[in-house]
Amino acid sequence: MAESQGPAQRLFTAGKRLLGSLLATGETRLRLAVLELEEERARLVTLLLLAGLSLLLLLLGLAVLTLLVVVMFWDSHRLVAIGVCALVLLGSGAALALWVRQLARRRTLLVSTLKHLATDRELVERSRHD
């Protein structure tokens, strides 16, 4: 049957097959991107809940510890105790803020999708040069 088709018909058929392949590949990559976005969303929700709970517990623990230190030194050096506690808390907070900023700069969103798209582009470039 392919022999009975003219050159224009064969070109049209090849174009349809190529378009179908491109659409199938695009659909696969889109599904992968959606799956990664859903996983990232679930991971972020879990992280936010755990971070909020740990932040609350740490805050309560630091408040009680600070109160204990101030009460221990109330008679002799209460202002020094309050100042040292404040400096320790502020220094720890600044260090944690820098660490969080460094973690936030990491790119994890759609890493797998971008890797697969780069592989696809590489294969297309290789096939052009062959």
Side-chain angles (χ1 to χ4, degrees):
M1 182 171 182
E3 291 179 22
S4 65
Q5 293 180 346
Q9 185 65 31
R10 285 194 302 255
L11 183 63
F12 182 69
T13 304
K16 280 184 9 183
R17 271 192 255 133
L18 177 64
L19 183 61
S21 295
L22 287 174
L23 287 175
T25 302
E27 180 186 7
T28 301
R29 297 301 177 233
L30 184 61
R31 286 177 190 250
L32 178 62
V34 168
L35 181 65
E36 281 190 78
L37 286 172
E38 288 174 354
E39 287 176 356
E40 189 67 19
R41 184 191 64 190
R43 186 181 76 83
L44 283 175
V45 166
T46 302
L47 280 175
L48 285 174
L49 289 174
L50 290 175
L53 182 60
S54 65
L55 186 64
L56 178 66
L57 292 174
L58 283 171
L59 186 64
L60 288 172
L62 282 174
V64 170
L65 181 64
T66 302
L67 183 65
L68 174 69
V69 170
V70 170
V71 168
M72 280 177 46
F73 292 102
W74 188 259
D75 291 333
S76 57
H77 304 291
R78 68 176 158 247
L79 293 178
V80 173
I82 292 171
V84 168
C85 287
L87 286 176
V88 167
L89 291 174
L90 288 172
S92 300
L96 284 175
L98 290 173
W99 183 44
V100 166
R101 189 171 133 193
Q102 181 184 14
L103 286 176
R105 288 185 176 175
R106 286 190 202 163
R107 292 189 178 173
T108 59
L109 189 61
L110 300 175
V111 170
S112 183
T113 299
L114 293 173
K115 185 176 85 174
H116 280 80
L117 287 173
T119 304
D120 291 346
R121 186 180 65 238
E122 212 175 276
L123 289 173
V124 168
E125 290 292 326
R126 242 189 278 154
S127 67
R128 269 196 224 162
H129 295 296
D130 290 342

